[in-house]
Amino acid sequence: YCKIFIRVGSTSSRSSGINAEYGEVIDTDVHVDDDTCKDVHGVGNVLYGATWQFLNWTSAVRACEDKGLEIAFPRTLEENKQILRDIKASFKTHPNAKKYAHENWVWIGGHDERVEGEWRNVIGGEQVTWFNWERGQPDNWTRGNRHLQGQDCIGMRRTNGKWDDSFLQHERPYVCKCN
């Protein structure tokens, strides 16, 4: 879904069945097809589908599962490159993507929630053996001890495919692996 905000510019207006007074903002949801694996919005068939919707990490994992998919997690450089290609293709053509231009990170399925520094794939729980960290990461930053639990999940930069350890509660787009 995407949000559309309409500001009506006359004292009274009727347009497409909407009646509103001057200055009133009408907030409505418009459904945009989010079938991540088929030719959607000119991307072509993809292996990894970016979903341009803000969710925290836990909700992103569940959203992929609700679609019958799993959250993406690369195990090799080649898989990481494919995810990045599919993210970039989606960002150029998906109608919801441009409103996320300020958000450079997307969720992928790695975490160290149980044991700090022991990174695992949320699907299957196997320990991660290949990493693509951004320089200086992971750092388990606590925001000056305001978030003592630290950063326990992985976001991928949508421009270069590098990883960052992040706070679970941050909301950002996410990537599902197509079946």
Side-chain angles (χ1 to χ4, degrees):
Y1 287 90
C2 64
K3 292 274 189 199
I4 294 181
F5 296 93
I6 303 168
R7 182 169 299 278
V8 179
S10 65
T11 56
S12 181
S13 174
R14 180 174 287 279
S15 174
S16 302
I18 299 172
N19 188 14
E21 295 301 314
Y22 176 77
E24 182 179 353
V25 176
I26 301 167
D27 176 6
T28 186
D29 285 332
V30 175
H31 179 74
V32 176
D33 186 15
D34 194 31
D35 190 312
T36 59
C37 299
K38 294 187 175 73
D39 188 9
V40 177
H41 311 295
V43 174
N45 292 338
V46 294
L47 183 57
Y48 299 98
T51 300
W52 301 102
Q53 171 188 15
F54 279 131
L55 291 179
N56 66 40
W57 186 80
T58 306
S59 296
V61 171
R62 189 175 22 227
C64 288
E65 291 170 353
D66 289 348
K67 294 176 187 181
L69 308 172
E70 58 187 45
I71 195 157
F73 191 76
R75 292 169 181 84
T76 65
L77 178 60
E78 292 75 27
E79 287 181 7
N80 202 81
K81 286 179 180 179
Q82 184 64 52
I83 292 171
L84 183 59
R85 275 192 299 274
D86 289 349
I87 289 169
K88 286 181 175 184
S90 174
F91 189 78
K92 289 177 185 174
T93 60
H94 196 286
N96 281 349
K98 294 302 179 193
K99 72 180 181 180
Y100 295 98
H102 65 284
E103 178 56 64
N104 289 317
W105 301 96
V106 295
W107 289 128
I108 58 176
H111 71 93
D112 72 345
E113 285 185 280
R114 292 193 179 104
V115 178
E116 184 59 39
E118 187 178 289
W119 293 94
R120 299 206 169 263
N121 184 340
V122 70
I123 306 301
E126 78 262 9
Q127 193 162 356
V128 176
T129 58
W130 180 84
F131 298 94
N132 196 35
W133 295 115
E134 189 80 58
R135 188 164 49 156
Q137 299 299 326
D139 61 1
N140 198 40
W141 187 52
T142 62
R143 284 193 171 168
N145 291 327
R146 287 184 291 165
H147 294 280
L148 295 178
Q149 74 277 15
Q151 299 175 311
D152 292 324
C153 52
I154 299 175
M156 175 189 275
R157 186 179 292 272
R158 69 172 173 81
T159 56
N160 67 7
K162 295 290 186 179
W163 303 354
D164 175 57
D165 60 331
S166 297
F167 297 108
L168 292 165
Q169 72 272 14
H170 280 194
E171 292 189 338
R172 49 182 53 142
Y174 56 97
V175 183
C176 299
K177 181 178 181 186
C178 303
N179 299 327

